[in-house]
Amino acid sequence: MTIADATLIPSADRRWLTPSRTIGLGLLALLAAFALIGPLLVSVDPTEQDFAASLAAPGSDYLLGADYYGRSMLARLTYGARLSFGMALLTVATAAVPGILLGLLAAWRGGLLERALELVSTVLLALPGLLLVLILLAFAPGTFGPLYLGLALTLWIEFYRVARATAASVLKQPHVEAARLLGFGTPYLLRSLVLPEIRPILTTLAAFAMSTAIIAISTLSAISVGLRPPTPELGAMIVELLPYYTEAPLHVLMPGILIFLLVLGLQLATRSEAR
C-alpha cells in the first residue's frame, strides 16, 4: 500500500471499517494485549538466566522455550513487544505533534514563515535519516534517548510536509473561503473544516511512521548500534539467537514473526479498499 491509496479515493466513497481494517485492528488489539498484559501475567524476569534450560524447547516449563542463556522466550517476547510498540508510539507522537502544527501554521500564514520552514525541512531532508540517528547514537551508544531523538527528528519532516500540502489545498476550497469571509475564527476553521479533511492521510502517515520506527529500532539493535543485550529488544534477540539456528530455529523466528505481525497490523489497519 502507498500513501496515494489513502488520497486518491474520495473520502465520501470510502467505508471506514473495511475488512482489511477489521483484521488489522483485531491483530493490533491482540498484540497490544500481549505487550501490555503479558508482562503482568509472566512473573519471570526476562533477564533471569538458567543455564540448565539453555535452548529449551517450548513445553510445560517454558511455554515458548528458553534462549541460550536459559532466559524465558515468552517473558522476553512480551517485554520486547512492549518496548518496540512503546518506543515507536512515543517516537511517532513526538514527530507528529510539532510536524502537523507547523504544517498547519505554514499553510495558514504562508509568506516568510512558510519559506523559512520549507528551508529548514529541506536542509534536514538532505541529511540522511540513518546518518542523523547514527551521529546521535555515537554520543550515547546503546541507550534509548539518542535513538528516539534521531528517529523523531527524521520523521517530523514527513508530517510537516504532508500537513502543509493537504491543509493548503483544503484552505483554497470555496466553503472554507466562505466561512472565513463570514468571520469564523481560525480555531474553528482548522478544527471543523481542515482537520477532518486531512485526518485520513495523517492517520495513514502515522501508521507508516510507526512501521518505520519499529523496523529501524530493530535493525539498529540488530547491528549493535541501538539497544543492546540483555535488553529484550526484538532485533537484538534475533542476532543473539542466530548462532543457534540449527539447534533452535523456532527461537530465532519468533522475534521476527512478532515484528512482522506488528508492521502488518499497522498497514492493514489504515488500508483503504480500492474499487
Side-chain angles (χ1 to χ4, degrees):
M1 184 180 67
T2 65
I3 292 177
D5 291 335
T7 59
L8 294 178
I9 303 171
S11 57
D13 296 336
R14 274 182 260 158
R15 187 161 51 94
W16 189 84
L17 197 58
T18 59
S20 61
R21 282 178 175 167
T22 304
I23 296 171
L25 290 173
L27 185 56
L28 287 178
L30 289 175
L31 292 171
F34 180 72
L36 295 174
I37 302 174
L40 301 177
L41 299 178
V42 181
S43 57
V44 180
D45 187 330
T47 61
E48 182 180 327
Q49 300 181 3
D50 177 11
F51 283 98
S54 178
L55 296 179
S60 56
D61 292 337
Y62 291 91
L63 192 59
L64 296 180
D67 67 5
Y68 178 74
Y69 298 98
R71 297 173 297 197
S72 167
M73 285 295 295
L74 178 59
R76 292 184 67 75
L77 286 172
T78 55
Y79 279 90
R82 175 187 282 188
L83 187 64
S84 293
F85 225 155
M87 284 182 65
L89 191 60
L90 180 61
T91 300
V92 171
T94 305
V97 172
I100 293 172
L101 291 178
L102 289 174
L104 291 175
L105 187 63
W108 182 264
R109 299 298 297 271
L112 182 61
L113 177 64
E114 184 181 18
R115 289 196 291 274
L117 288 171
E118 277 296 297
L119 178 62
V120 172
S121 66
T122 302
V123 170
L124 288 176
L125 202 61
L127 185 64
L130 181 59
L131 179 61
L132 179 61
V133 174
L134 291 176
I135 290 172
L136 292 173
L137 278 171
F139 292 99
T143 57
F144 168 65
L147 183 59
Y148 150 74
L149 183 61
L151 289 173
L153 283 173
T154 302
L155 293 173
W156 81 270
I157 300 171
E158 297 179 20
F159 285 98
Y160 161 74
R161 291 205 154 185
V162 171
R164 185 196 64 77
T166 52
S169 174
V170 174
L171 287 171
K172 292 176 183 175
Q173 294 180 7
H175 68 285
V176 180
E177 289 288 344
R180 185 186 296 181
L181 292 174
L182 287 172
F184 288 97
T186 303
Y188 172 81
L189 295 177
L190 293 177
R191 185 178 63 253
S192 302
L193 301 179
V194 177
L195 281 177
E197 290 286 335
I198 67 175
R199 186 181 297 130
I201 182 64
L202 292 179
T203 303
T204 303
L205 183 59
F208 271 90
M210 274 201 69
S211 302
T212 301
I214 290 171
I215 293 172
I217 291 166
S218 298
T219 303
L220 290 170
S221 298
I223 59 175
S224 301
V225 295
L227 300 177
R228 295 177 178 174
T231 303
E233 200 286 321
L234 298 176
M237 287 173 64
I238 295 175
V239 173
E240 268 194 307
L241 289 162
L242 207 53
Y244 314 105
Y245 177 75
T246 52
E247 296 96 330
L250 183 61
H251 294 51
V252 183
L253 292 176
M254 282 191 281
I257 292 172
L258 200 49
I259 295 171
F260 168 73
L261 292 178
L262 281 171
V263 175
L264 179 65
L266 288 167
Q267 300 301 306
L268 289 177
T270 54
R271 181 179 175 82
S272 297
E273 297 292 334
R275 297 180 180 180

